[in-house]
Amino acid sequence: MLIPGRAIALASLVLLLVAVPATVASAQPDTTALEFLGFRAGARLDELSAQLQRMGGGPLRCRRSRVDRRVMECRASLREPQLGGVVELWVSAIDSAAGVITLSGLVAPDQLDRWRQVLQDRYGRVGPRVQGAQRMLQWVRRGRMLRLTWRLEGLGKVASVSLVDGRVLDDWGRTRPSPAARPLAREAGA
């Protein structure tokens, strides 16, 4: 347990490290806006639709939640040489801002290595985490998270990249109506 003086010193050091501008920041890419192939958590649905169109993907099909009208679940498919085959895109958006984006599909043998290399070149090396047959690499920056996950399944490797914007989800959590104020499912359908 930290004593109060040490806690203040530690907090001051953290604030100092965050507040000091890096002298080489202009020469390096911005790694705080975690993204993968132009998709980034927190993006607006129209931005995601435009990115899909640029990549030759299908239309973004969205359904609004019956429980909270601000929430939309969206899907699309895209085929892109960088992705190695058909990849499914899932988006959970709150007030048209993507809180969670997942790109997932069966990948060619060398495709996973390319995805991993692209992410590590941009965001740095991280150690893989293992959970059963599944492995993952994860990066976190300023309330956002990017996770590359893969596993062997049937005919090959299934890989996914998930992008999560914690600020979008936190804002939604703070402004959601309380359970008592929400209509029951049978009332909402009536």
Side-chain angles (χ1 to χ4, degrees), residues 39-105:
F39 294 98
R40 63 177 186 82
R44 309 284 305 163
L45 290 177
D46 56 347
E47 178 185 329
L48 296 174
S49 288
Q51 180 63 14
L52 273 166
Q53 189 174 23
R54 279 190 295 275
M55 295 179 82
L60 193 59
R61 300 170 314 279
C62 298
R63 287 187 5 199
R64 193 170 297 278
S65 168
R66 291 186 201 173
V67 176
D68 187 334
R69 303 299 291 164
R70 297 173 302 159
V71 177
M72 295 183 79
E73 295 296 325
C74 305
R75 291 179 170 244
S77 294
L78 61 146
R79 180 181 294 275
E80 163 73 22
Q82 285 183 290
L83 297 172
V86 175
V87 173
E88 296 299 319
L89 172 75
W90 294 283
V91 180
S92 291
I94 296 100
D95 294 327
S96 295
V100 180
I101 299 171
T102 301
L103 295 129
S104 179

Side-chain angles (χ1 to χ4, degrees), residues 36 101-107 111-113 115-116 119 128-139 145-153 157-164:
F36 182 67
I101 299 171
T102 301
L103 295 129
S104 179
L106 190 62
V107 293
Q111 190 63 45
L112 175 63
D113 294 333
W115 285 14
R116 183 177 11 209
L119 292 170
R129 295 183 191 172
V130 179
Q131 186 175 15
Q134 183 169 288
R135 299 187 185 293
M136 74 165 197
L137 301 174
Q138 179 174 294
W139 296 266
M145 185 266 304
L146 185 149
R147 180 181 293 158
L148 171 63
T149 306
W150 68 95
R151 68 185 179 284
L152 290 176
E153 187 176 285
K157 287 182 185 172
V158 174
S160 66
V161 173
S162 299
L163 299 134
V164 178

